[in-house]
Amino acid sequence: MYTISQLAELSRVSSRTLRYYDDISLLKPALINKSGYRIYTQREVDILHRILVYRSMDVPLKEIKRLLESDQDDIVVFLTQHYTELLKQRQTLNLKLAIAENVIKSYREGTIMNNKDKFDMLKQQIIKENMSVYGAEAVAKYGMSQLSNSYQKMASMTVSDYNNMQDTERNMIDKLQHYMQVDKLDINLGQEIYNLHKNWLLFNLDNVTPEVHMSIANSYIEDDRFRQYYDNKAGKGATTVLQRIIVQYAKKVQ
């Protein structure tokens, strides 16, 4: 039997944190004694150990609470997915560390990268980040051949091509923001957004069929990463609006 202070000393978790876990029903004491003290048993110690293990893997408290109530199969499924996400984060971090290392090295050696080297580094960064975050999903959905072609187009892109790609996306985002603000459906504006989005995709893809275009658009609303990207750039709900526009006009040219 442990008081809250004894459990705090044993686990190196503060009493304040244990009281918070009690408040959110994550870790309730076994009982409250006559003096009003929280009392914990071996069962609560074991639960706290699980909580700390999950926290060490950056699992949110909300998910930890669910895991504590889940069966073993559900726990394995969740942790497998979480493990994959951690691997992606590590790959992205490794890439950023490698870039930082190269920049530090250039300063220490007194070498200055020319514009071509800087641009090539930028392209490689984009390719590696996309591969680490979306690679496995993209291969499963579109095939390795199409993904390789996409990265080859990016690798061979000139500065002018890259700037045009960025301008095309910015123009599309601006028009999407305007589209969401108009009171009535603007057919011409919707067509412009569709064309701009397709042209933007063509900077990295050899061909964008209506079917591929719709598939990409549908992935935007199925994946929170894309939803956050477009909603942050064009306003809340922008991802859904963009998906609807693409599907609507892609169906017309099928």
Side-chain angles (χ1 to χ4, degrees):
M1 306 282 279
Y2 300 91
T3 64
I4 191 169
S5 59
Q6 290 171 334
L7 182 58
E9 182 178 0
L10 174 70
S11 64
R12 299 290 187 250
V13 175
S14 69
S15 297
R16 181 179 180 180
T17 298
L18 293 174
R19 285 193 291 270
Y20 176 67
Y21 287 172
D22 182 8
D23 291 340
I24 64 174
S25 299
L26 182 64
L27 179 65
K28 305 292 290 184
L31 57 94
I32 306 292
N33 67 15
K34 292 181 180 180
S35 300
Y37 291 107
R38 294 173 174 84
I39 302 298
Y40 299 86
T41 66
Q42 184 60 46
R43 175 179 178 275
E44 287 71 48
V45 173
D46 292 340
I47 293 174
L48 179 59
H49 176 258
R50 290 179 63 191
I51 292 172
L52 296 179
V53 169
Y54 293 145
R55 288 298 289 154
S56 71
M57 295 185 286
D58 290 333
V59 178
L61 290 179
K62 182 179 179 180
E63 289 296 338
I64 292 176
K65 187 175 182 180
R66 186 181 66 80
L67 290 174
L68 293 176
E69 300 169 352
S70 300
D71 60 33
Q72 184 171 322
D73 289 341
D74 288 339
I75 294 173
V76 170
V77 169
F78 173 84
L79 291 182
T80 300
Q81 294 172 342
H82 188 68
Y83 176 79
T84 301
E85 289 301 316
L86 291 176
L87 283 178
K88 291 178 181 178
Q89 292 175 25
R90 184 175 72 178
Q91 291 169 342
T92 300
L93 181 59
N94 286 341
L95 172 61
K96 292 178 180 178
L97 289 171
I99 293 171
E101 185 179 5
N102 287 334
V103 173
I104 292 170
K105 182 180 179 182
S106 69
Y107 278 114
R108 283 178 174 169
E109 296 178 354
T111 58
I112 301 176
M113 288 186 291
N114 59 40
N115 289 333
K116 182 180 183 303
D117 290 339
K118 292 176 182 177
F119 184 60
D120 287 342
M121 178 184 287
L122 173 64
K123 290 189 293 184
Q124 290 303 317
Q125 179 183 358
I126 294 172
I127 291 171
K128 289 179 180 178
E129 283 185 346
N130 286 346
M131 193 64 191
S132 66
V133 177
Y134 304 111
E137 299 169 34
V139 170
K141 199 164 190 177
Y142 304 111
M144 190 65 210
S145 176
Q146 185 162 329
L147 189 64
S148 296
N149 289 340
S150 173
Y151 289 149
Q152 286 174 8
K153 288 196 71 172
M154 168 61 76
S156 61
M157 188 177 290
T158 66
V159 174
S160 177
D161 291 335
Y162 181 78
N163 289 334
N164 287 336
M165 181 180 72
Q166 297 291 89
D167 289 341
T168 299
E169 184 186 31
R170 278 193 290 267
N171 193 11
M172 188 268 292
I173 293 294
D174 289 342
K175 290 185 182 297
L176 181 59
Q177 286 178 315
H178 181 64
Y179 184 93
M180 295 173 63
Q181 294 169 358
V182 297
D183 294 331
K184 295 182 180 179
L185 181 64
D186 190 328
I187 297 176
N188 292 332
L189 185 56
Q191 183 71 61
E192 285 185 66
I193 293 169
Y194 171 82
N195 291 338
L196 283 167
H197 188 268
K198 181 177 180 179
N199 291 337
W200 177 69
L201 290 175
L202 285 170
F203 281 101
N204 287 290
L205 299 176
D206 291 327
N207 184 33
V208 179
T209 65
E211 291 76 19
V212 168
H213 205 171
M214 285 190 288
S215 176
I216 292 173
N218 290 335
S219 72
Y220 288 171
I221 60 172
E222 295 166 358
D223 192 320
D224 286 338
R225 294 168 296 185
F226 289 116
R227 186 182 293 276
Q228 290 173 7
Y229 179 80
Y230 285 107
D231 281 14
N232 288 339
K233 282 185 172 290
K236 186 176 181 180
T239 312
T240 301
V241 173
L242 178 60
Q243 183 264 349
R244 289 175 180 170
I245 290 172
I246 292 171
V247 170
Q248 176 186 351
Y249 289 96
K251 286 182 176 178
K252 291 182 179 181
V253 295
Q254 271 185 314

